Amino acid sequence: MKRIITIQDISCVGKCSLTVALPIISAMGVETAILPTAVLSTHTMFSGFTCKDLTDQIVPIAEHWKKEKFAFDAIYTGYLGSFEQIEIVSRFFDEFKTDSNLIVVDPVMADNGKLYPAFDEAYARENTKLCAKADLIVPNLTEASFMTGLPYKTKYDRKYITDMLDALAQLGPKYVTLTGVSFEEGKIGIMGLNTVNGEHFEYYTEHVPVSYHGTGDIFSSVVVGALTRGRSLPEAFRIACDYTKETIDYTFRHVGADTYGVDFEVTLPSLVIKMQ
Ligand code: PXL
């Protein structure tokens, strides 16, 4: 069985980061090892959340894994909490990178033109160092704009997106994909660039006009699961776009569904079928 390691926080309530990566990637038939970077009572969009930083645990855990000779088919990072964590995770990449495994960095730090409460622009610049070591990065437009210095726009043309992809490629990853791209009212999706062959790929679904927390983490988890199971890049993004759209749609249509995160628990069987 393939095994991945995902490095991000545990937000105990709030359906994001590890509480979605673990069930989703496991359901895709991939062993999901976790390295929790912090324990929060909720994600940071709730006020008054508690946070226990676990930075001092990362190196001893990694050293133990080295002794045990554990290897990972993919290393997937999401929300990280500090400059120090970026530095330590960057060294983790050096230790656990092999010729055949895949490093996927989701530089979680911003959305809708704004940085999340815990971050500033210097943190965004620091994240570019992690992206430089990745095989694949999956920022949204806001994160891409903070990392490249290009302006954030809500109305744009294809040139704006391809320029953004080129600027992200300059950071160093092999494959770059922008999420939340929309050229047409009612449609949303991804556009990516394979820097090895210079080809672009893109995929769009219907845009359900609502926004839920944690959907980016669900999307990235599905991409990592599908790639680890041997799907091609365009296929992995198609599965992730379709599943994320379906899950947002289900949540939107069901009165009483929690509004802080989507009801991925209900749609997981459909993801399992997509992977057959
Ligand atoms: O979904 C991204 C995320 C993950 N973890 C924490 C967060 C957020 C977004 O706000 O606060 C702690």
Side-chain angles (χ1 to χ4, degrees):
M1 175 175 271
K2 299 276 189 183
R3 177 198 287 141
I4 71 118
I5 169 68
T6 178
I7 308 174
Q8 43 189 328
D9 70 279
I10 294 189
S11 293
C12 298
V13 175
K15 298 205 238 184
C16 68
S17 41
L18 284 185
T19 62
V20 304
L22 186 50
I24 287 178
I25 300 170
S26 300
M28 297 177 81
V30 176
E31 179 186 343
T32 310
I34 61 168
L35 212 175
T37 52
V39 180
L40 292 85
S41 52
T42 63
H43 58 63
T44 61
M45 305 311 271
F46 287 90
S47 59
F49 63 88
T50 67
C51 179
K52 171 72 180 168
D53 184 279
L54 298 176
T55 305
D56 66 356
Q57 295 301 302
I58 302 175
V59 172
I61 288 173
E63 281 172 353
H64 180 214
W65 290 348
K66 263 287 166 213
K67 275 204 197 102
E68 295 292 332
K69 298 194 172 27
F70 288 146
F72 304 104
D73 296 291
I75 305 171
Y76 158 41
T77 67
Y79 185 103
L80 299 173
S82 62
F83 279 64
E84 194 187 356
Q85 281 190 358
I86 290 180
E87 167 67 28
I88 291 174
V89 170
S90 171
R91 275 189 268 129
F92 184 97
F93 288 173
D94 298 338
E95 287 293 321
F96 288 92
K97 177 73 192 154
T98 65
D99 289 342
S100 57
N101 70 3
L102 193 74
I103 297 182
V104 180
V105 170
D106 184 355
V108 179
M109 59 185 155
D111 207 359
N112 299 315
K114 283 201 216 111
L115 287 159
Y116 291 145
F119 304 130
D120 59 16
E121 289 185 23
Y123 180 84
R125 281 192 296 277
E126 193 69 9
N127 245 316
T128 62
K129 294 187 186 161
L130 214 51
C131 291
K133 289 190 177 174
D135 295 298
L136 168 67
I137 61 170
V138 286
N140 60 35
L141 273 176
T142 308
E143 290 154 350
S145 133
F146 276 111
M147 289 198 295
T148 59
L150 295 179
Y152 171 73
K153 294 185 186 174
T154 49
K155 294 237 175 311
Y156 45 77
D157 55 13
R158 291 181 76 83
K159 184 169 180 328
Y160 172 75
I161 297 296
T162 52
D163 285 352
M164 190 70 95
L165 288 169
D166 288 343
L168 288 169
Q170 293 296 317
L171 302 179
K174 242 185 260 153
Y175 314 107
V176 297
T177 298
L178 274 169
T179 62
V181 173
S182 176
F183 294 120
E184 196 187 322
E185 179 106 11
K187 297 261 177 206
I188 194 158
I190 61 97
M191 187 162 177
L193 171 65
N194 177 338
T195 70
V196 181
N197 61 16
E199 281 177 12
H200 288 110
F201 48 91
E202 55 195 317
Y203 185 76
Y204 305 93
T205 63
E206 179 203 336
H207 186 189
V208 186
V210 64
S211 167
Y212 293 114
H213 206 80
T215 49
D217 300 340
I218 288 175
F219 178 87
S220 301
S221 299
V222 176
V223 170
V224 172
L227 290 173
T228 308
R229 289 281 309 276
R231 302 303 172 97
S232 69
L233 265 186
E235 255 182 301
F237 281 107
R238 180 181 53 75
I239 294 168
C241 285
D242 286 346
Y243 177 67
T244 307
K245 187 243 141 199
E246 187 180 329
T247 306
I248 292 172
D249 199 37
Y250 175 89
T251 309
F252 184 50
R253 286 171 197 280
H254 286 77
V255 179
D258 294 323
T259 52
Y260 60 79
V262 284
D263 292 353
F264 71 90
E265 299 88 340
V266 178
T267 52
L268 267 183
S270 142
L271 179 60
V272 172
I273 291 165
K274 287 186 198 345
M275 290 305 296
Q276 278 164 0

